[in-house]
Amino acid sequence: AQSVAQPEDQVNVAEGNPLTVKCTYSVSGNPYLFWYVQYPNRGLQFLLKYITGDNLVKGSYGFEAEFNKSQTSFHLKKPSALVSDSALYFCAVRDRTGGIKTIFGAGTRLFVKA
Amino acid sequence: GAVVSQHPSRVICKSGTSVKIECRSLDFQATTMFWYRQFPKKSLMLMATSNEGSKATYEQGVEKDKFLINHASLTLSTLTVTSAHPEDSSFYICSARDTGTNEKLFFGSGTQLSVL
């Protein structure tokens, strides 16, 4: 069965500092991996994805994530956080070998303080 | 880019009434749409997979007679919460996959349902 773990309920970081939001996954086959962001009372917005190729994926708003197969991780990172990055972040996985469902992690709330 | 429109954004209803939520893909065809439920400070719970022209696939524990899903066209899926009760109050989100854009999901803006 597929699963996604986001071990931190909340991450606090000062504006201008680097941020990391952690994600590990479990899937039987090779995964598609995603990060989405949700602002209050809104749907989710796509940030970035790993499909194949370079393990370092760059996405929207200066975010990036690194696929680490041996550690089954896909941590989200940004070199310099902005207050406007404060939101709820979801890691998601889909097994490319036939599954159609995308499974989401529990979400990590990011607070960036000015 | 691809857009998914969800309507209404907010609905308040009396207990025992039914509420319909619409999800439309505006500029792409979606043979499959997904309905999620989100509780406060919680993750998205996949309720069902909506398949155009066929019956929806419900996740374990989701009552199909209570949460009716219809996917009558390639651009429209509806979720009807029948005989709503206060415990059905939640944030409902739909999504669709545009298979031409490498697997990512596009989400509606969500519907906040409050049952009095």
Side-chain angles (χ1 to χ4, degrees):
Chain A
Q2 304 175 103
S3 65
V4 180
Q6 291 180 244
E8 304 151 313
D9 287 338
Q10 183 171 311
V11 170
N12 298 314
V13 65
E15 188 174 36
N17 284 359
L19 70 87
T20 299
V21 183
K22 295 180 181 177
C23 172
T24 58
Y25 65 90
S26 174
V27 65
S28 57
N30 292 318
Y32 295 122
L33 295 161
F34 307 86
W35 276 100
Y36 291 86
V37 60
Q38 185 182 31
Y39 297 99
N41 299 315
R42 302 295 300 276
L44 277 66
Q45 296 177 28
F46 170 80
L47 272 183
L48 52 80
K49 65 181 184 292
Y50 171 80
I51 302 296
T52 188
D54 194 346
N55 289 344
L56 183 63
V57 178
K58 294 187 182 296
S60 306
Y61 313 120
F63 284 93
E64 59 188 29
E66 186 165 11
F67 170 57
N68 188 317
K69 187 173 183 178
S70 63
Q71 297 184 3
T72 61
S73 66
F74 191 56
H75 302 329
L76 180 70
K77 299 183 178 183
K78 186 173 182 180
S80 179
L82 299 173
V83 173
S84 57
D85 293 330
S86 299
L88 186 58
Y89 291 81
F90 291 98
C91 181
V93 63
R94 185 164 88 83
D95 183 354
R96 69 179 73 202
T97 56
I100 65 169
K101 294 188 293 188
T102 301
I103 304 301
F104 287 80
T108 298
R109 189 165 297 280
L110 173 66
F111 284 102
V112 181
K113 298 169 73 172
Chain B
V3 177
V4 172
S5 174
Q6 186 173 342
H7 179 80
S9 60
R10 179 177 292 272
V11 59
I12 301 171
C13 69
K14 293 182 178 179
S15 185
T17 60
S18 294
V19 174
K20 179 184 283 188
I21 303 170
E22 292 188 348
C23 183
R24 295 180 184 273
S25 57
L26 296 186
D27 53 1
F28 66 100
Q29 293 183 334
T31 56
T32 303
M33 292 186 176
F34 304 91
W35 287 97
Y36 295 86
R37 182 173 178 175
Q38 185 177 31
F39 296 93
K41 299 182 181 181
K42 292 290 186 181
S43 184
L44 301 172
M45 181 192 79
L46 178 64
M47 298 175 65
T49 302
S50 171
N51 304 299
E52 188 269 336
S54 64
K55 292 182 179 180
T57 304
Y58 289 82
E59 295 299 301
Q60 190 174 6
V62 178
E63 298 176 62
K64 62 180 180 181
D65 294 330
K66 182 166 189 60
F67 297 99
L68 299 179
I69 291 173
N70 183 277
H71 195 155
S73 78
L74 287 171
T75 59
L76 175 64
S77 176
T78 60
L79 169 67
T80 301
V81 183
T82 63
S83 186
H85 288 93
E87 57 266 30
D88 299 325
S89 298
S90 191
F91 193 60
Y92 293 87
I93 308 176
C94 71
S95 72
R97 179 182 297 118
D98 180 359
T99 55
T101 58
N102 282 339
E103 305 298 332
K104 67 182 180 183
L105 293 173
F106 295 94
F107 285 82
S109 55
T111 298
Q112 182 64 54
L113 171 64
S114 299
V115 184
L116 305 179

